[in-house]
Amino acid sequence: MILLHRYILSHYIRNLILIVASFVSIYLLIDFFEKIEDFLEKGISFGITTKFFLFNIPFIIDMMSPVCILLAGVVTLGMLNHSNELIALKSCGIPLKKIVQPIIGAALACIMLFLVMAQTVLPTTVSATNYIWNREVKGRTSSGIYRNGRYYYHGQDGFYSFARPDPQKNVFTNFSYTTWNPRYQVHTLIAAKTAVWNQGIWTLHDSQVQTVRGSERFTTEVLQERNYTFPEQPDAFFVPPYRAMELSLTALYRETRHNHSDEARAKAWAEFYGRISYTFLGLPLLLLGLPLLLLVYRKWGRDLSLAIPVSCGMAFVSWGLYTTLQSLAKAGYIPPLAAATSVHLLVSGLGIFLLVREDT
């Protein structure tokens, strides 16, 4: 490694550590003041409270990693530009692509490290923080499981099974509700294409009700629409937030192989590709942020005071577009792989074009 690369690399790593530490500190400070009252009300011990916030750090780093990679590169190149070192290097005939090589190489190394963290560390820490917050603080316990694109819940009097396309809406598809007699034999099976819960009433559309009559007889009733008052409400169907973050990358891949319905398979692939592509999002942002810094400096001459807000704005727009594509992929409107790579290819292509133009 030549001396120039070591010099730039040391600046990038130092800036990355400072930026990551700053984001983690700000996030923890805000999170602490938002949640400490809940911990105190429940009488949670100091040790468990400390464990919750410490175990939340890997999740924060994973969530902020693209922006941190971007800002570390922008600050590093901006400092070289501000001290006229970048001009001196260019005047010596060193092209810009060679100057930014250690920054891009370090960013790739950090992305690999974040992927390893997503595979090994993140599932354990997110599971622990979810358990502490939901079980110890909020007193909520998941009463079911999620398998192959369907939710399964054991209620007070029966067993629920359904798909829930949007967790924020009380609309359930391929819904079924089963009850048993005291001898644990099936007594009633209610199946419906769609179930909607509204103000305490379950409304089942295109349903079929099968009821056991004797040891070998049962009756079947087909209904277009009927209201029911099941004991449970949608609030009881609790699934911890960030459930996908509790799964490693290999576990997410296994989810894609186990799902049988097209809808569940598309969602599983979107989760898998989305986790990987989000970690890689920092690289295209960096490729575009570096030439943007030089363009801003040449046009307005304010260096980092304007380049950093411009970079953050560019990152926000890219993140918004990426999130929109991921939502469309989970809903099955676009292929998951296309949703995971479109923003990366677009931003990277524009960034490489601007970097090459800076050397001409």
Side-chain angles (χ1 to χ4, degrees), residues 67-208:
V67 177
C68 291
I69 290 174
L70 166 66
L71 291 181
V74 169
V75 170
T76 300
L77 191 63
M79 292 176 64
L80 292 175
N81 190 38
H82 183 72
S83 60
N84 294 322
E85 291 174 287
L86 183 60
I87 297 176
L89 291 172
K90 283 187 171 184
S91 64
C92 293
I94 302 176
L96 180 63
K97 62 181 180 181
K98 192 170 184 179
I99 298 173
V100 301
Q101 274 181 2
I103 297 177
I104 297 174
L108 277 173
C110 291
I111 288 172
M112 295 299 109
L113 181 62
F114 293 144
L115 287 176
V116 172
M117 185 178 70
Q119 172 66 24
T120 58
V121 178
L122 209 57
T124 302
T125 55
V126 172
S127 297
T129 54
N130 278 342
Y131 178 84
I132 293 173
W133 179 252
N134 296 316
R135 183 69 179 270
E136 301 291 339
V137 179
K138 294 298 184 180
R140 298 181 297 185
T141 305
S142 179
S143 57
I145 58 175
Y146 176 82
R147 290 291 184 274
N148 299 329
R150 293 183 63 83
Y151 295 89
Y152 301 90
Y153 287 92
H154 185 209
Q156 177 181 343
D157 299 326
F159 190 83
Y160 299 84
S161 175
F162 53 82
R164 194 174 187 178
D166 188 348
Q168 305 301 322
K169 297 180 180 180
N170 295 323
V171 179
F172 308 84
T173 58
N174 299 322
F175 180 90
S176 70
Y177 178 73
T178 308
T179 61
W180 299 272
N181 61 24
R183 290 175 293 179
Y184 297 100
Q185 297 173 333
V186 175
H187 178 265
T188 304
L189 172 61
I190 303 174
K193 185 177 181 180
T194 306
V196 180
W197 185 87
N198 185 27
Q199 298 181 354
I201 301 296
W202 286 92
T203 303
L204 272 57
H205 302 273
D206 298 326
S207 63
Q208 177 178 284

Side-chain angles (χ1 to χ4, degrees), residues 294-308:
L294 301 178
L295 291 174
V296 169
Y297 181 75
R298 275 202 307 271
K299 188 167 185 179
W300 290 288
R302 297 184 180 180
D303 212 358
L304 290 177
S305 62
L306 189 58
I308 289 180

